[in-house]
Amino acid sequence: MKHIIILGDGMADWPVESLGGKTLMQYAKTPYMDKLASMGRTGRLKTVADGFHPGSEVANMSVLGYDLPKVYEGRGPLEAASIGVDLKPGEMAMRCNIICIEGDHIKNHSAGHITTEEADVLVKYLQEHLGNERVCFYTGVQYRHLLVIKGGDKRIDCTPPHDVPLKPFRPLLVKPMPGTENITVPEGGAELTPQQTADLINDLILRSQELLENHPLNQKRMAEGKDPANSIWPWSPGYRPKMERLSDKFPQVKRGAVISAVDLINGIGYYADLRRLTVEGATGLYDTNYENKVAAALEALKTDDFVYLHIEASDEAGHEGNVDLKLLTIENLDSRAVGPIYEAVKDWEEPVAIAVLPDHPTPCELRTHTNEPIPFFIWYPGIEPDSVQTFDEASVCEGSYGLLKEDEFINEFMKS
């Protein structure tokens, strides 16, 4: 049996007053997800282990069954792998957002969803003026980029910018982790102490603001009524992780693929030994090319044993607090991804197991991630269904899988 996970990033939500107290998944028209949930089995999954921040890297690694306390090294190293940066011993990688600062506040975490082409100009400019033997900037995708610090100490307290929209940025600058403020002996291969690492990063943030403020590209963006990309914001530091290949855990996965517009997901795929499929028109936003992603997934299923199809759109809509847009992304996932994949594979000679789930909630009210368990269903030909008839956060509480954690979901899914 072949296997495909369709992951709607951030799709889960809280009840919304304007929707009559329903969540967006309850309110949205999702006939295919409801149908597959009614024909399959459902449950909830705790994707954020105790003590971990509810980031997409944490949640997606959990979906794949990785033991986070053993392998987690932050988002930076995953994104490094995705863009082809081979981290050496002692090199610390960080996700480096390009953000919009308005006054002293973080207006948004994405610089108004800057394009990769525009951001590349700014990242190269920052490398030219701020890069050196210790500090290197690398272009990623859209607002998501990479900062590598040779000899950096990862024991620092960094705030994800999408967690703090409209907050003053200065109180959120990098600090040494509590208890490391007076450490004079760096960790492992680090050459800097946590305090020195924090001071270096904060200096880069403030100098980036001086450099970017009057950059011609930002002058052009402002003239067009767009948000300027006027600051970097590094976060989620770590070293090269030690992750097992998915095939080491599941020998039936002789070949697998990952499809995503998001570097960190492709980085997880790299360490899981899933081949990365690049899809034309995949943006990570509500305008992503669902049809091309589905076509790539179906083509991969002809030759591969496992496909991880990740769609980011709902998460971005949640970060914007846009209920109508998030409803659209959920309905698009159903009609333009789940439905076409099910219709295509339901009669294949070799059966295909389908699982659909978010990685974490991104409530529009809060505009950031939370750590509540998420709903999921598993369907394949011949599965004995449970009594659940619709797919949403509340209905699956009655599902036969109950509440799963750690690697229980992926073990159940791969048993089929």
Side-chain angles (χ1 to χ4, degrees):
M1 186 174 291
K2 296 175 180 286
H3 296 78
I4 181 169
I5 292 176
I6 305 172
L7 192 131
D9 199 301
M11 180 167 57
D13 211 296
W14 293 347
V16 176
E17 185 177 349
S18 64
L19 302 181
K22 293 183 177 181
T23 70
L24 284 83
M25 289 182 68
Q26 289 176 311
Y27 190 86
K29 295 178 176 61
T30 55
Y32 275 106
M33 287 191 274
D34 291 343
K35 177 178 181 176
L36 287 170
S38 70
M39 295 193 306
R41 298 178 62 195
T42 65
R44 295 187 300 155
L45 174 62
K46 180 180 179 180
T47 58
V48 181
D50 293 341
F52 283 84
H53 182 83
S56 289
E57 76 284 13
V58 167
N60 280 273
M61 290 171 73
S62 290
V63 170
L64 288 170
Y66 283 102
D67 186 342
L68 288 168
K70 288 185 178 180
V71 305
Y72 180 71
E73 279 289 346
R75 195 176 284 219
L78 299 174
E79 306 205 9
S82 175
I83 62 177
V85 177
D86 186 28
L87 293 178
K88 303 297 189 296
E91 291 184 336
M92 183 186 79
M94 304 182 73
R95 155 72 83 83
C96 187
N97 281 45
I98 292 185
I99 69 172
C100 177
I101 298 285
E102 190 170 69
D104 283 331
H105 291 68
I106 296 175
K107 183 176 182 183
N108 58 61
H109 68 288
S110 62
H113 291 297
I114 190 170
T115 67
T116 302
E117 293 72 23
E118 290 175 307
D120 183 51
V121 172
L122 299 181
V123 172
K124 288 176 177 174
Y125 181 70
L126 291 170
Q127 176 61 22
E128 178 185 354
H129 290 274
L130 299 179
N132 52 46
E133 290 185 357
R134 185 177 294 281
V135 172
C136 281
F137 293 90
Y138 297 89
T139 302
V141 176
Q142 297 168 352
Y143 61 87
R144 313 173 186 96
H145 306 285
L146 183 71
L147 170 63
V148 175
I149 299 177
K150 183 179 179 180
D153 193 311
K154 71 174 185 178
R155 294 174 295 179
I156 50 177
D157 183 6
C158 307
T159 301
H162 55 261
D163 280 358
V164 285
L166 310 180
K167 300 290 186 184
F169 79 87
R170 292 185 185 276
L172 302 170
L173 289 170
V174 181
K175 305 172 184 65
M177 293 289 289
T180 68
E181 297 89 346
N182 299 316
I183 284 178
T184 57
V185 179
E187 177 189 50
E191 299 168 5
L192 304 175
T193 66
Q195 184 66 64
Q196 290 170 332
T197 304
D199 290 344
L200 171 60
I201 296 167
N202 291 335
D203 181 63
L204 292 171
I205 291 172
L206 297 176
R207 289 169 64 194
S208 78
Q209 294 176 7
E210 295 174 1
L211 286 166
L212 295 176
E213 180 180 7
N214 295 311
H215 190 281
L217 189 145
N218 275 327
Q219 295 297 311
K220 180 174 182 289
R221 285 181 63 84
M222 289 188 288
E224 295 171 349
K226 299 177 182 177
D227 290 333
N230 56 10
S231 181
I232 63 168
W233 196 267
W235 56 289
S236 199
Y239 311 123
R240 185 186 179 98
K242 297 177 181 177
M243 291 169 57
E244 65 178 344
R245 298 174 301 176
L246 198 65
S247 58
D248 292 335
K249 187 175 177 69
F250 303 106
Q252 67 268 43
V253 181
K254 297 178 180 63
R255 179 177 163 101
V258 60
I259 302 169
S260 177
V262 178
D263 277 338
L264 79 91
I265 305 299
N266 289 313
I268 293 172
Y270 172 85
Y271 286 112
D273 198 31
L274 303 175
R275 62 193 183 99
R276 175 183 181 176
L277 301 183
T278 302
V279 175
E280 184 177 355
T283 66
L285 301 173
Y286 67 92
D287 61 353
T288 198
N289 194 317
Y290 290 85
E291 289 71 27
N292 281 0
K293 280 193 163 188
V294 166
L298 292 173
E299 190 64 26
L301 280 172
K302 295 176 182 177
T303 57
D304 292 23
D305 310 294
F306 179 89
V307 173
Y308 197 77
L309 174 57
H310 172 269
I311 297 177
E312 174 78 359
S314 292
D315 187 59
E316 291 294 340
H319 286 306
E320 293 179 17
N322 190 328
V323 171
D324 290 339
L325 180 59
K326 188 169 180 181
L327 282 171
L328 175 65
T329 66
I330 294 170
E331 292 178 350
N332 279 340
L333 184 77
D334 186 80
S335 64
R336 299 171 66 184
V338 177
I341 287 172
Y342 165 71
E343 293 291 352
V345 307
K346 65 181 182 180
D347 296 321
W348 280 13
E349 183 175 346
E350 182 172 5
V352 177
I354 299 174
V356 176
L357 69 167
D359 51 350
H360 51 66
T362 307
C364 289
E365 177 184 336
L366 193 63
R367 295 181 60 179
T368 191
H369 306 167
T370 63
N371 62 3
E372 293 106 328
I374 52 85
F376 74 89
F377 69 74
I378 294 172
W379 171 86
Y380 54 85
I383 189 173
E384 183 176 345
D386 58 26
S387 62
V388 174
Q389 296 299 301
T390 59
F391 183 53
D392 56 67
E393 302 88 342
S395 64
V396 302
C397 292
E398 305 300 321
S400 55
Y401 286 120
L403 176 62
L404 304 185
K405 62 183 187 303
E406 298 170 350
D407 62 353
E408 293 173 341
F409 162 78
I410 195 71
N411 288 342
E412 285 287 346
F413 184 51
M414 298 305 294
K415 274 196 321 191
S416 55

XYZ file of all heavy atoms in Angstrom, residues 256-327:
546
model
N 10.512 8.088 -1.242
C 9.470 9.009 -0.810
C 9.749 10.413 -1.295
O 10.857 10.729 -1.741
N 8.725 11.274 -1.210
C 8.845 12.631 -1.730
C 8.151 13.616 -0.801
O 7.198 13.265 -0.099
C 8.235 12.725 -3.136
N 8.632 14.853 -0.814
C 8.004 15.947 -0.091
C 7.700 17.061 -1.089
O 8.510 17.345 -1.982
C 8.899 16.463 1.062
C 10.238 16.970 0.559
C 8.194 17.553 1.866
N 6.526 17.665 -0.940
C 6.095 18.758 -1.827
C 5.673 19.913 -0.933
O 4.685 19.815 -0.197
C 4.927 18.325 -2.724
C 5.316 17.113 -3.576
C 4.474 19.490 -3.612
C 4.147 16.466 -4.290
N 6.420 21.006 -0.980
C 6.128 22.163 -0.130
C 6.801 23.392 -0.704
O 7.860 23.299 -1.333
C 6.633 21.921 1.303
O 6.419 23.067 2.111
N 6.197 24.559 -0.447
C 6.820 25.824 -0.811
C 7.619 26.409 0.349
O 8.144 27.516 0.233
C 5.741 26.826 -1.253
N 7.704 25.670 1.448
C 8.310 26.190 2.676
C 9.641 25.481 2.942
O 9.691 24.249 3.012
C 7.357 26.006 3.874
C 7.986 26.501 5.158
C 6.045 26.752 3.603
N 10.704 26.263 3.118
C 12.032 25.688 3.261
C 12.142 24.721 4.434
O 12.790 23.681 4.338
C 13.080 26.800 3.417
C 13.519 27.364 2.071
O 13.358 26.669 1.057
O 14.018 28.506 2.040
N 11.535 25.075 5.579
C 11.733 24.210 6.742
C 11.123 22.830 6.497
O 11.652 21.815 6.969
C 11.186 24.851 8.008
C 9.682 24.801 8.279
C 9.329 23.563 9.089
C 9.249 26.044 9.036
N 10.015 22.742 5.770
C 9.411 21.442 5.465
C 10.315 20.663 4.526
O 10.530 19.452 4.702
C 8.013 21.615 4.845
C 7.117 22.464 5.764
C 7.380 20.261 4.570
C 6.884 21.877 7.134
N 10.886 21.348 3.553
C 11.815 20.681 2.650
C 13.078 20.248 3.396
O 13.685 19.234 3.052
C 12.159 21.597 1.482
C 10.992 21.772 0.526
O 10.359 20.797 0.132
N 10.680 22.998 0.164
N 13.479 21.018 4.411
C 14.618 20.623 5.221
C 14.339 19.368 6.025
O 15.189 18.475 6.135
N 13.129 19.278 6.610
C 12.730 18.043 7.295
C 12.763 16.889 6.302
O 13.262 15.795 6.608
C 11.323 18.194 7.911
C 11.346 19.219 9.058
C 10.817 16.847 8.423
C 9.968 19.573 9.583
N 12.240 17.137 5.107
C 12.268 16.100 4.075
C 13.678 15.669 3.726
O 13.937 14.476 3.506
N 14.610 16.612 3.690
C 16.004 16.289 3.376
C 16.567 15.304 4.391
O 17.161 14.286 4.022
C 16.827 17.576 3.360
C 18.319 17.352 3.244
C 18.921 17.184 2.002
C 19.118 17.316 4.380
C 20.287 16.979 1.895
C 20.486 17.110 4.286
C 21.068 16.944 3.038
O 22.426 16.737 2.943
N 16.375 15.593 5.674
C 16.925 14.716 6.698
C 16.147 13.398 6.800
O 16.696 12.385 7.226
C 16.951 15.427 8.050
C 18.039 16.463 8.132
C 17.744 17.816 8.208
C 19.383 16.094 8.107
C 18.747 18.772 8.260
C 20.388 17.045 8.162
C 20.076 18.380 8.238
O 21.073 19.318 8.283
N 14.874 13.416 6.398
C 14.081 12.177 6.365
C 14.365 11.349 5.122
O 13.818 10.262 4.969
C 12.592 12.516 6.438
N 15.211 11.884 4.228
C 15.585 11.225 2.966
C 14.397 11.120 2.019
O 14.223 10.133 1.313
C 16.183 9.840 3.220
C 16.981 9.326 2.013
O 17.544 10.168 1.293
O 17.021 8.103 1.799
N 13.586 12.184 1.995
C 12.520 12.312 1.009
C 13.007 13.245 -0.095
O 13.558 14.317 0.196
C 11.250 12.887 1.649
C 10.672 12.118 2.840
C 9.492 12.879 3.423
C 10.258 10.709 2.436
N 12.786 12.874 -1.325
C 13.230 13.739 -2.415
C 12.303 14.954 -2.515
O 11.087 14.844 -2.372
C 13.303 12.975 -3.735
C 11.985 12.405 -4.224
C 12.198 11.401 -5.351
N 10.927 10.924 -5.850
C 10.330 11.385 -6.955
N 10.920 12.338 -7.665
N 9.172 10.890 -7.352
N 12.898 16.088 -2.756
C 12.137 17.341 -2.841
C 11.632 17.538 -4.261
O 12.415 17.486 -5.215
C 13.021 18.516 -2.440
C 12.362 19.870 -2.602
C 13.320 20.992 -2.246
N 12.695 22.286 -2.373
C 13.309 23.438 -2.048
N 14.542 23.420 -1.590
N 12.688 24.581 -2.194
N 10.326 17.764 -4.406
C 9.737 18.033 -5.703
C 9.404 19.514 -5.802
O 8.626 20.038 -5.006
C 8.479 17.197 -5.910
C 8.667 15.673 -5.832
C 7.356 14.968 -6.121
C 9.756 15.210 -6.789
N 10.014 20.196 -6.729
C 9.759 21.618 -6.940
C 8.576 21.783 -7.891
O 8.554 21.171 -8.969
C 10.998 22.310 -7.524
O 12.101 22.120 -6.629
C 10.748 23.806 -7.690
N 7.621 22.588 -7.481
C 6.378 22.740 -8.239
C 6.240 24.191 -8.703
O 6.296 25.119 -7.886
C 5.156 22.351 -7.382
C 3.860 22.624 -8.133
C 5.238 20.888 -6.980
N 6.056 24.369 -9.985
C 5.863 25.716 -10.524
C 4.571 26.317 -9.968
O 3.519 25.679 -9.955
C 5.792 25.676 -12.047
C 5.679 27.047 -12.692
C 5.683 27.003 -14.205
O 5.866 25.898 -14.762
O 5.496 28.073 -14.823
N 4.663 27.536 -9.467
C 3.485 28.226 -8.951
C 3.193 27.966 -7.489
O 2.213 28.496 -6.955
N 4.033 27.183 -6.819
C 3.855 26.959 -5.380
C 4.402 28.159 -4.627
O 5.588 28.460 -4.717
C 4.564 25.686 -4.944
N 3.532 28.839 -3.876
C 3.917 30.111 -3.250
C 3.935 30.075 -1.732
O 4.509 30.955 -1.101
C 2.953 31.233 -3.673
O 1.642 30.957 -3.142
C 2.875 31.357 -5.185
N 3.257 29.111 -1.119
C 3.100 29.145 0.327
C 1.980 30.068 0.788
O 1.783 30.233 1.990
N 1.235 30.643 -0.154
C 0.156 31.575 0.175
C -1.160 31.054 -0.401
O -1.228 29.974 -0.984
C 0.472 32.971 -0.385
C 1.775 33.593 0.120
C 2.065 34.888 -0.633
C 1.716 33.839 1.615
N -2.224 31.843 -0.253
C -3.539 31.404 -0.718
C -3.601 31.265 -2.235
O -4.478 30.568 -2.771
C -4.628 32.386 -0.253
C -4.529 33.750 -0.883
C -5.224 34.042 -2.046
C -3.741 34.746 -0.320
C -5.134 35.285 -2.642
C -3.651 36.001 -0.900
C -4.334 36.266 -2.060
O -4.229 37.496 -2.639
N -2.645 31.896 -2.949
C -2.645 31.821 -4.409
C -1.739 30.704 -4.923
O -1.413 30.648 -6.105
C -2.215 33.155 -5.023
C -0.803 33.573 -4.611
O -0.196 32.897 -3.745
O -0.304 34.577 -5.163
N -1.339 29.793 -4.051
C -0.475 28.693 -4.486
C -1.160 27.863 -5.561
O -2.403 27.831 -5.639
C -0.089 27.810 -3.282
O 1.063 27.029 -3.623
C -1.221 26.882 -2.864
N -0.376 27.188 -6.356
C -0.930 26.401 -7.458
C -1.280 25.004 -6.958
O -0.463 24.078 -6.995
C 0.067 26.334 -8.621
C -0.572 25.831 -9.900
O -1.352 24.882 -9.873
N -0.259 26.472 -11.012
N -2.501 24.842 -6.472
C -2.954 23.557 -5.943
C -2.892 22.480 -7.027
O -2.512 21.333 -6.760
C -4.398 23.663 -5.439
C -4.582 24.485 -4.183
C -4.726 25.864 -4.248
C -4.635 23.882 -2.931
C -4.912 26.619 -3.103
C -4.827 24.622 -1.780
C -4.957 25.998 -1.868
O -5.134 26.738 -0.734
N -3.294 22.844 -8.238
C -3.384 21.853 -9.297
C -2.005 21.261 -9.633
O -1.865 20.051 -9.836
C -4.023 22.479 -10.538
C -5.509 22.757 -10.380
C -5.830 23.904 -9.416
O -4.981 24.813 -9.256
O -6.935 23.892 -8.827
N -0.977 22.111 -9.688
C 0.365 21.605 -9.961
C 0.883 20.750 -8.809
O 1.585 19.760 -9.022
C 1.324 22.761 -10.233
C 1.184 23.314 -11.641
O 0.365 22.840 -12.423
N 1.978 24.323 -11.964
N 0.537 21.143 -7.585
C 0.966 20.343 -6.435
C 0.305 18.964 -6.461
O 0.945 17.945 -6.190
C 0.615 21.070 -5.124
C 1.594 22.159 -4.730
C 1.364 22.596 -3.297
C 2.549 23.357 -2.760
N 2.438 23.642 -1.316
N -0.976 18.933 -6.778
C -1.688 17.660 -6.854
C -1.122 16.797 -7.974
O -0.910 15.581 -7.804
C -3.198 17.902 -7.053
C -3.911 16.621 -7.465
C -3.808 18.462 -5.766
N -0.861 17.404 -9.112
C -0.294 16.648 -10.231
C 1.055 16.044 -9.851
O 1.346 14.887 -10.184
C -0.156 17.549 -11.459
N 1.886 16.829 -9.148
C 3.191 16.326 -8.718
C 3.034 15.193 -7.714
O 3.781 14.198 -7.757
C 4.013 17.464 -8.116
N 2.056 15.320 -6.804
C 1.831 14.274 -5.805
C 1.371 12.979 -6.465
O 1.847 11.880 -6.125
C 0.811 14.743 -4.775
N 0.445 13.078 -7.395
C -0.070 11.878 -8.068
C 1.008 11.214 -8.915
O 1.111 9.981 -8.964
C -1.278 12.241 -8.925
C -2.531 12.657 -8.148
C -3.608 13.171 -9.097
C -3.069 11.479 -7.323
N 1.831 12.015 -9.574
C 2.914 11.450 -10.367
C 3.920 10.750 -9.457
O 4.417 9.667 -9.779
C 3.606 12.563 -11.172
C 4.591 12.079 -12.206
C 3.952 11.251 -13.311
O 2.746 11.436 -13.589
O 4.667 10.407 -13.889
N 4.204 11.354 -8.298
C 5.139 10.739 -7.352
C 4.595 9.422 -6.813
O 5.352 8.458 -6.617
C 5.441 11.698 -6.210
N 3.291 9.363 -6.574
C 2.702 8.133 -6.033
C 2.802 6.952 -7.002
O 2.693 5.798 -6.591
C 1.233 8.373 -5.665
C 0.973 9.079 -4.330
C -0.501 9.415 -4.193
C 1.435 8.211 -3.157
N 3.031 7.233 -8.270
C 3.193 6.139 -9.232
C 4.503 5.390 -9.019
O 4.606 4.200 -9.313
C 3.124 6.689 -10.661
C 1.780 7.266 -11.047
C 1.824 7.869 -12.451
C 0.490 8.502 -12.834
N 0.550 9.152 -14.171
N 5.502 6.102 -8.493
C 6.833 5.497 -8.333
C 7.278 5.413 -6.878
O 8.164 4.625 -6.547
C 7.883 6.319 -9.099
O 7.853 7.685 -8.638
C 7.606 6.282 -10.595
N 6.670 6.226 -6.011
C 7.111 6.325 -4.624
C 6.143 5.602 -3.688
O 4.983 5.376 -4.024
C 7.228 7.788 -4.192
C 8.363 8.520 -4.898
O 8.754 8.067 -5.994
O 8.850 9.527 -4.377
N 6.648 5.293 -2.509
C 5.825 4.626 -1.501
C 5.152 5.604 -0.551
O 4.168 5.264 0.108
C 6.705 3.674 -0.679
C 7.532 2.768 -1.562
O 6.938 1.936 -2.261
O 8.772 2.916 -1.562
N 5.696 6.843 -0.470
C 5.235 7.805 0.533
C 5.372 9.212 -0.025
O 6.421 9.558 -0.593
C 6.078 7.669 1.808
C 5.717 8.624 2.908
C 4.752 8.294 3.855
C 6.338 9.860 3.009
C 4.429 9.166 4.879
C 6.019 10.747 4.021
C 5.061 10.399 4.959
N 4.318 10.020 0.144
C 4.350 11.433 -0.286
C 3.839 12.299 0.853
O 2.811 11.993 1.476
C 3.490 11.659 -1.553
C 3.410 13.147 -1.880
C 4.066 10.880 -2.731
N 4.568 13.363 1.120
C 4.178 14.353 2.137
C 3.846 15.645 1.403
O 4.726 16.355 0.924
C 5.334 14.577 3.114
C 4.953 15.245 4.423
C 4.314 14.532 5.428
C 5.258 16.586 4.663
C 3.990 15.122 6.642
C 4.933 17.194 5.872
C 4.304 16.451 6.860
O 3.979 17.034 8.066
N 2.550 15.927 1.263
C 2.079 17.111 0.545
C 1.702 18.174 1.558
O 0.708 18.040 2.279
C 0.876 16.749 -0.336
C 0.179 17.908 -1.050
C 1.141 18.687 -1.938
C -1.006 17.396 -1.851
N 2.492 19.229 1.618
C 2.320 20.293 2.610
C 1.794 21.548 1.923
O 2.347 21.994 0.910
C 3.670 20.584 3.278
C 3.656 21.773 4.180
N 3.960 23.046 3.739
C 3.370 21.897 5.505
C 3.876 23.894 4.755
N 3.520 23.224 5.828
N 0.717 22.115 2.473
C 0.123 23.337 1.904
C 0.010 24.373 3.015
O -0.658 24.170 4.023
C -1.243 23.034 1.254
C -1.039 22.054 0.091
C -1.905 24.320 0.764
C -2.287 21.612 -0.607
N 0.662 25.498 2.815
C 0.886 26.499 3.862
C -0.231 27.521 3.998
O -0.319 28.246 4.992
C 2.212 27.236 3.546
C 2.564 28.406 4.424
C 3.137 27.994 5.773
O 3.245 26.789 6.041
O 3.469 28.905 6.562
N -1.127 27.605 3.016
C -2.019 28.765 2.862
C -2.819 29.110 4.117
O -2.935 30.285 4.489
C -2.975 28.517 1.694
N -3.400 28.123 4.797
C -4.246 28.412 5.960
C -3.457 29.052 7.093
O -3.978 29.895 7.829
C -4.913 27.128 6.459
O -5.854 26.653 5.531
N -2.205 28.642 7.245
C -1.374 29.212 8.306
C -1.148 30.696 8.072
O -1.260 31.511 8.992
C -0.045 28.466 8.360
C 0.805 28.890 9.545
O 0.334 28.756 10.692
O 1.938 29.355 9.335
N -0.837 31.070 6.847
C -0.595 32.482 6.545
C -1.861 33.306 6.752
O -1.815 34.425 7.269
C -0.068 32.636 5.118
C 1.341 32.095 4.918
C 2.388 32.871 5.693
O 2.128 34.022 6.073
O 3.480 32.317 5.936
N -3.022 32.759 6.365
C -4.285 33.471 6.579
C -4.561 33.643 8.068
O -5.061 34.687 8.510
C -5.432 32.730 5.906
N -4.226 32.615 8.871
C -4.396 32.721 10.312
C -3.505 33.786 10.912
O -3.925 34.547 11.804
N -2.242 33.870 10.442
C -1.339 34.908 10.929
C -1.851 36.307 10.583
O -1.581 37.267 11.310
C 0.057 34.714 10.341
C 0.824 33.572 10.953
N 1.024 33.469 12.308
C 1.438 32.505 10.394
C 1.733 32.379 12.559
N 1.984 31.778 11.417
N -2.571 36.420 9.470
C -3.137 37.719 9.098
C -4.435 38.015 9.844
O -4.955 39.128 9.773
C -3.388 37.760 7.588
C -2.113 37.728 6.753
C -2.390 37.749 5.271
O -3.523 38.110 4.878
O -1.474 37.416 4.497
N -4.979 37.015 10.548
C -6.239 37.209 11.254
C -7.418 37.352 10.317
O -8.450 37.932 10.680
N -7.306 36.805 9.119
C -8.305 36.997 8.067
C -9.222 35.766 7.992
O -8.883 34.755 7.373
C -7.595 37.236 6.730
C -8.544 37.686 5.639
O -9.708 37.313 5.617
N -8.035 38.502 4.725
N -10.382 35.859 8.630
C -11.303 34.720 8.703
C -11.787 34.304 7.319
O -11.802 33.110 6.977
C -12.494 35.055 9.622
C -13.576 33.973 9.530
C -12.028 35.213 11.066
N -12.209 35.271 6.507
C -12.730 34.926 5.176
C -11.668 34.253 4.321
O -11.951 33.284 3.605
C -13.249 36.186 4.478
C -14.512 36.727 5.116
O -15.200 35.953 5.808
O -14.810 37.921 4.941
N -10.446 34.770 4.378
C -9.369 34.186 3.588
C -9.043 32.779 4.072
O -8.822 31.865 3.279
C -8.118 35.063 3.648
C -6.901 34.566 2.868
C -7.227 34.421 1.386
C -5.714 35.515 3.065
N -9.053 32.589 5.390
C -8.742 31.261 5.910
C -9.838 30.262 5.537
O -9.547 29.099 5.214
C -8.528 31.301 7.421
C -8.004 29.977 7.974
C -7.533 30.064 9.405
C -7.025 28.707 9.892
N -6.580 28.727 11.293
N -11.090 30.689 5.569
C -12.172 29.816 5.100
C -11.930 29.383 3.654
O -12.099 28.214 3.296
C -13.521 30.532 5.210
C -14.155 30.613 6.597
C -15.361 31.540 6.561
C -14.564 29.222 7.097
